[in-house]
Amino acid sequence: MKKLSMLLAVGAIATATLTACGGSNSGGTSTPNAAPTDKVLHLSFLQDPGQPPDPDVYYAGQGLLLTTNTYEGLLQYKAGTDKPVLEPLLATEWTASPDNKVFTFKLREGVKFHDGTPFTSAAVKASFDRRAAVNQGPAYMVTDVESVTTQGDYGVTVTLKAPNSAFLDYLACPYGPRMLSPEGLKKNGGSDNAQGYLTNHDLGTGPYTLTAAEVGSKYELTAFGDYWGAKPYFEKVELPVITDVSAQQLQFNNGQIAAILHDLPSSAVQSYLDNKSFANYSLPTMMSNYVYVNPRKGMMTDAKNRTAVLQAIDVDELVKQTYFGRGKTAEQIYPPNMMAAEFGKQTVPHDPSVLSGIAAGLPADQKAVTIGYDSSNPDNQLISNLIQTQLAAAGLSAKVQAYPTSEIYGWVGSDGQSAPEIMTYLGWPDAPSPYTWGHISWDASGGLNFFGCSAPAVTAALAKGLPADTDADFSTAGTEAVKTGCWLNVADVNDFMVAQPWLKGMEQAHVVTNPNSLRLAALSVG
């Protein structure tokens, strides 16, 4: 998730160009409803976002739709592209010192926060300070800020404690620092830096403001009348939580919701590819589907055994059965669109005989493993079931178990004993810098390092590459991570979305760095 600043390049998905199809029915049975006339956009979440839509707390997937449409940062990534391209947002111009330590910004004038107060340079320091004080997952992006100094109301300089080539990526990425109203923070801060207030309110500058947040039930966004940019076509966005994937598809097929933006199972993907009554989109991302191996449990404490488990997995078969039409077999340990194809190569040849030989010498209790997956991801349920069959053929007794997102994140920093031996997981970088992905995934303190696997050579290579953004060093970090036997990149995955044919602007609303999400202000009816 990139980090939720990590994403450039040539090792991209083969189908990375923006594609869509729609038109007359060619075999499907559903007939979409007409476009709404009330300017209300109906979408949905497959599960509750799981964390408050507070930009300094939220660090998961589906809820990005809320945080990225209500809040804005200094920079953003351009929509409608297959590579990450920086562009202005609340900063109109910026410069970086040659050593990537001092960054200067000219700020946009005429911007209002949703509480009616003006956006000025004072908000930059207040927002950075608040993120550090809340100290949740995304806080690492501001921990190295040494000072924030203002030059009048519309100029600001940020000085870091040490050079960081990823800092601009941090500012632009979907989990990066967002600007919050200093007056609103002061008024509603309470004893928790306004965390309670921001569970069902917002203090952003985005095109939409949060008008309902009922956990497990529904969320609602309303267009902000004083927004500085182009006014959204849709005046309201309603997002009920629909926890059953079949019920979600039924509501979509009946025209009750305008689009499904994430987590369609492979069986549904095929049905929508075949049904031309609806538009379908396979949009480029930096998402990858990984296999994680827990080095703290059972037979997996031995690196040789971990590598043998990964060698027993038939990756091509997994991708063929799960990601047809929306992904391809990964060739790099890094996510797609981040590094040139020659860097970060995986070298885990498929050879189940290695695990078979090891399993034959193990006691029965060491042969029993659990394969976990996020309960909101039907693709990983299928992948886990396929891996179960493959490992069984090699001599292991594997069971498959679903875990909620909140429990998965609870494994970070634990002893790993409550976690499964193996987990399948769809992840993406916080930001499009290889350093960010490597740090959050492979460093011992990383927010996506669920099982605490690391190696000194990985950390050293990441640190060496950070000051000047050196791909060769980041590539070394990746190859050293592969040697631990803790990670295998299975597939580079596109965002597969389906929409009613009247919903326009899907490609223009999609950002390669922001999975499961759209910039709602770019959507309209046509």
Side-chain angles (χ1 to χ4, degrees):
M1 292 196 109
K2 219 31 173 68
K3 349 180 128 336
L4 335 190
S5 263
M6 9 196 147
L7 353 146
L8 285 172
V10 179
I13 298 175
T15 55
T17 53
L18 302 177
T19 60
C21 61
S24 60
N25 193 312
S26 63
T29 58
S30 299
T31 302
N33 287 1
T37 58
D38 58 2
K39 294 194 173 183
V40 177
L41 179 64
H42 296 272
L43 300 172
S44 66
F45 290 128
L46 184 58
Q47 66 170 358
D48 189 85
Q51 295 172 310
D54 178 335
D56 296 327
V57 173
Y58 191 76
Y59 203 46
Q62 296 184 21
L64 278 178
L65 193 70
L66 301 174
T67 57
T68 57
N69 284 285
T70 54
Y71 295 93
E72 295 174 318
L74 297 179
L75 308 177
Q76 67 178 5
Y77 282 100
K78 189 174 182 179
T81 68
D82 61 357
K83 302 290 187 297
V85 179
L86 281 173
E87 65 178 10
L89 193 53
L90 294 182
T92 57
E93 300 175 17
W94 65 93
T95 59
S97 64
D99 64 355
N100 288 310
K101 189 176 178 181
V102 180
F103 300 83
T104 302
F105 304 90
K106 180 180 179 181
L107 304 183
R108 189 177 301 278
E109 300 183 30
V111 176
K112 285 186 179 180
F113 286 104
H114 296 161
D115 63 3
T117 60
F119 165 69
T120 68
S121 56
V124 180
K125 178 172 173 54
S127 299
F128 281 20
D129 287 349
R130 196 259 178 177
R131 174 163 287 210
V134 169
N135 197 28
Q136 296 293 312
Y140 76 88
M141 298 186 189
V142 299
T143 54
D144 283 341
V145 172
E146 183 174 73
S147 65
V148 177
T149 57
T150 60
Q151 294 87 47
D153 283 345
Y154 299 105
V156 65
T157 297
V158 179
T159 302
L160 307 182
K161 298 172 186 175
N164 186 339
S165 61
F167 187 66
L168 293 177
D169 292 318
Y170 290 172
L171 298 184
C173 75
Y175 300 94
R178 295 294 183 258
M179 297 298 102
L180 288 79
S181 163
E183 292 300 316
L185 290 174
K186 188 182 303 181
K187 178 180 177 181
N188 302 287
S191 60
D192 65 352
N193 294 292
Q195 289 184 72
Y197 180 78
L198 293 183
T199 60
N200 49 22
H201 301 81
D202 80 89
L203 291 170
T205 63
Y208 288 91
T209 185
L210 182 70
T211 48
E214 300 175 15
V215 176
S217 177
K218 71 172 185 178
Y219 296 81
E220 179 187 271
L221 302 174
T222 300
F224 179 47
D226 286 333
Y227 182 57
W228 61 268
K231 301 299 185 287
Y233 172 83
F234 290 104
E235 297 173 356
K236 186 173 291 186
V237 183
E238 295 186 351
L239 293 143
V241 178
I242 304 173
T243 56
D244 180 81
V245 67
S246 297
Q248 184 186 51
Q249 291 170 52
L250 181 61
Q251 289 196 29
F252 172 76
N253 293 345
N254 291 337
Q256 294 170 265
I257 57 179
I260 299 176
L261 306 184
H262 50 76
D263 294 325
L264 279 166
S266 55
S267 57
V269 169
Q270 187 62 65
S271 70
Y272 288 120
L273 288 171
D274 294 339
N275 187 343
K276 304 308 178 184
S277 292
F278 303 107
N280 66 73
Y281 302 85
S282 187
L283 303 170
T285 72
M286 301 186 83
M287 289 193 293
S288 285
N289 212 124
Y290 281 86
V291 173
Y292 282 66
V293 182
N294 186 346
R296 305 184 178 195
K297 201 167 183 182
M299 65 173 287
M300 305 305 178
T301 57
D302 188 325
K304 172 173 53 66
N305 294 349
R306 297 195 296 270
T307 299
V309 166
L310 297 180
Q311 286 181 282
I313 296 173
D314 187 342
V315 170
D316 288 340
E317 188 63 24
L318 299 185
V319 176
K320 176 182 176 183
Q321 296 200 37
T322 308
Y323 285 121
F324 47 84
R326 58 198 173 111
K328 72 177 186 69
T329 299
E331 297 178 356
Q332 296 171 293
I333 188 64
Y334 284 91
N337 300 311
M338 181 175 291
M339 301 183 75
E342 66 266 26
F343 295 117
K345 288 287 191 180
Q346 286 189 143
T347 51
V348 185
H350 176 52
D351 184 1
S353 68
V354 180
L355 180 59
S356 296
I358 292 172
L362 291 175
D365 64 330
Q366 289 283 296
K367 295 181 184 181
V369 299
T370 298
I371 305 168
Y373 69 94
D374 190 312
S375 58
S376 71
N377 192 298
D379 286 331
N380 272 319
Q381 181 178 13
L382 173 58
I383 285 176
S384 297
N385 288 335
L386 293 169
I387 291 175
Q388 176 188 38
T389 300
Q390 293 175 2
L391 296 186
L396 296 186
S397 174
K399 70 173 183 178
V400 173
Q401 182 173 335
Y403 297 88
T405 304
S406 57
E407 184 173 351
I408 291 171
Y409 276 86
W411 299 333
V412 177
S414 74
D415 63 6
Q417 298 310 297
S418 63
E421 285 82 4
I422 301 167
M423 181 176 68
T424 60
Y425 184 78
L426 184 69
W428 56 89
D430 296 358
S433 151
Y435 170 80
T436 310
W437 178 257
H439 170 65
I440 64 172
S441 299
W442 308 326
D443 272 343
S445 60
L448 290 184
N449 194 345
F450 302 112
F451 299 147
C453 187
S454 192
V458 174
T459 299
L462 290 171
K464 185 179 178 184
L466 178 60
D469 190 28
T470 311
D471 280 347
D473 292 320
F474 296 141
S475 183
T476 297
T479 55
E480 291 296 329
V482 172
K483 291 178 184 178
T484 68
C486 291
W487 297 279
L488 177 68
N489 188 0
V490 172
D492 295 336
V493 183
N494 283 2
D495 260 337
F496 185 84
M497 301 179 177
V498 292
Q500 306 294 347
W502 49 258
L503 185 62
K504 302 304 179 184
M506 293 285 286
E507 299 100 329
Q508 294 77 17
H510 185 266
V511 187
V512 66
T513 58
N514 300 23
N516 303 326
S517 184
L518 295 172
R519 289 184 180 153
L520 299 173
L523 299 176
S524 62
V525 166

